[in-house]
Amino acid sequence: MSSDALVRQYADFAYRVALGVTGGEADAADATQEALVSIWRHGADVPAERMRAWVARVARNAALDLIRRRSVRPQPLAGEALPDPACPAPGPDALSEAGDVRRELAAALERLGEPFRSLVVLRDVEGLTYDEIAETLSLPLTTVKVYLHRGRARLRAALTASVPDLVPQ
Amino acid sequence: MTYCTQFDALAEAAALGGPREARALDAHVATCAACAAEAVLADDASDLVDVLAPLRAEVCPPAVVTAALRDARRTARPPVRAARTFSRLRVATLAFAVTLVVGLALRLSLASPAEVALDRTDAPALEVATAETGAPLVELSTPAPDAPAADPTDKPDEPVKVDVAPPDPAPERVAAAAAPRLRPTLTSATVPPPDPAPTASDTLAAVHGLRLALAVVRDARREGLAAVAPELGRPQVALASSISELP
């Protein structure tokens, strides 16, 4: 597969990983661009069975590097301010639009922190196997599972607090 | 469920620390029963998969892909260009070196023994050798293609007419002093006529021979002038200038 084809094939995947880490579309786009350049250069040398884990690691590292360089916290989606946690949770009507749901999910993920955020995104959004996640994050398998279990619990609690109708009871 | 509190502390230290903290966390998780129970629970199907479904609809903006491809190609181009430039420089340097070596080799190969001998010959030595043997050392009667051949029976050149005021210019003595010097080297022909396509060595030999003959003529003229100048009461430079103005 050519380098261009690799970039096009994994662009959405890398973008979603970066978006899950940064929480902002602009930062995710910048991180994805850097990740895609790396994929274009080195992707042909990576075995196919390890490609998803490798791309996820490249995109995540690019996003984390971007956050470190800017020394700022991840920006909210579309430049909109995050809802005040002290405010009462909006009703279902307020979240009727998909964009609002997406922003709420991104905000909840952002509050998870690393590495819980990356684990939840890689597993429950992108569907990577535990082994792939362990390779991506360079963590033992059991540690990955513990992190994931706790990350899910935190995310569930965050969504229950902000969007209670979104989380099944 | 009761979470392992030690895991939280170790995880926080691992997040802030280095490889040693990370290894400590891994060692704990590998042996902790509570953490193992959490790991089993993580294997269960997550109820958040459907909740997080909107995030799976995110797609990378096409502009990002385009910019990444452009950046990748641009950053990959300079080494190729540099390699080509280096290759061209290397080829040019090699060509120059080869040309230099070939030129030197040709120059050395064309330097014939005759040329070397002629280079070492100077006018005084020629005079001495001529006086001892009675014959010219270098016989160059081969004329240039468009030059008239020298005839051994030709009379001596016309006496040098010096446009000077009296006293007696004594032209006979001027001619007597100059003629023997001007004549002898352009006589008998021992050099074979040039081939229709003379070689480079022949050409060089002919050029050096001609140069030597001119040197002899100049020397003879200088000595002739030196001989007659006191008698004429004129400096040699003035005589030489007057001679050069003759038709």
Side-chain angles (χ1 to χ4, degrees), chain B residues 200-215:
Chain B
S201 180
D202 295 339
T203 304
L204 278 175
V207 168
H208 280 272
L210 183 58
R211 194 171 62 190
L212 183 63
L214 289 175

Side-chain angles (χ1 to χ4, degrees), chain A residues 3 17 33 35 38 41 44 58 62 74 76 86 90 96-97 114 140 143 145 160 162 167:
Chain A
S3 298
V17 172
Q33 185 172 334
S38 295
R41 289 177 182 165
V58 169
S96 57
E97 296 183 7
E114 287 292 335
T143 305
K145 290 181 179 179
T160 301
S162 60
V167 181

Side-chain angles (χ1 to χ4, degrees), chain A residues 3-4 7-8 11-12 15-16 19 25 29 32-33 36-37 40-41 77 98 101-102 105-106 109 114-116 120 124-126 130 139-140 142-143 145-156 159 166-168, chain B residues 1 3-5 7-8 10-12 14-15 25-26 29-30 35-36 38-49 51-61 63-65 67-73 75-76:
Chain A
S3 298
D4 286 15
V7 166
R8 296 184 195 284
D12 294 341
Y15 177 74
R16 287 193 295 267
L19 184 61
E25 293 177 352
T32 302
Q33 185 172 334
L36 293 180
V37 172
W40 191 89
R41 289 177 182 165
L77 286 174
V101 174
R102 187 167 49 85
L105 292 173
L109 280 173
E114 287 292 335
F116 302 105
V120 171
D124 292 338
V125 176
E126 298 302 330
Y130 293 117
L139 291 174
T142 305
T143 305
K145 290 181 179 179
V146 174
Y147 270 131
L148 183 60
H149 180 254
R150 297 195 177 200
R152 283 171 176 165
R154 290 186 185 191
L155 179 62
R156 192 179 294 110
L159 290 176
L166 200 61
V167 181
Chain B
M1 178 179 176
Y3 291 154
C4 174
T5 54
F7 178 88
D8 291 334
L10 290 172
E12 186 176 358
L25 173 64
D26 298 338
V29 171
C35 292
E38 282 191 71
V40 172
L41 290 175
D43 285 336
D44 296 341
S46 174
D47 54 352
L48 294 177
V49 173
V51 174
L52 296 174
L55 295 181
R56 280 190 289 275
E58 296 284 355
V59 294
C60 183
V64 173
V65 179
L69 290 174
R70 185 187 60 230
D71 287 353
R73 290 169 184 147
T75 54

Side-chain angles (χ1 to χ4, degrees), chain B residues 187-204:
Chain B
T187 54
S188 58
T190 57
V191 176
D195 296 334
T199 64
S201 180
D202 295 339
T203 304
L204 278 175

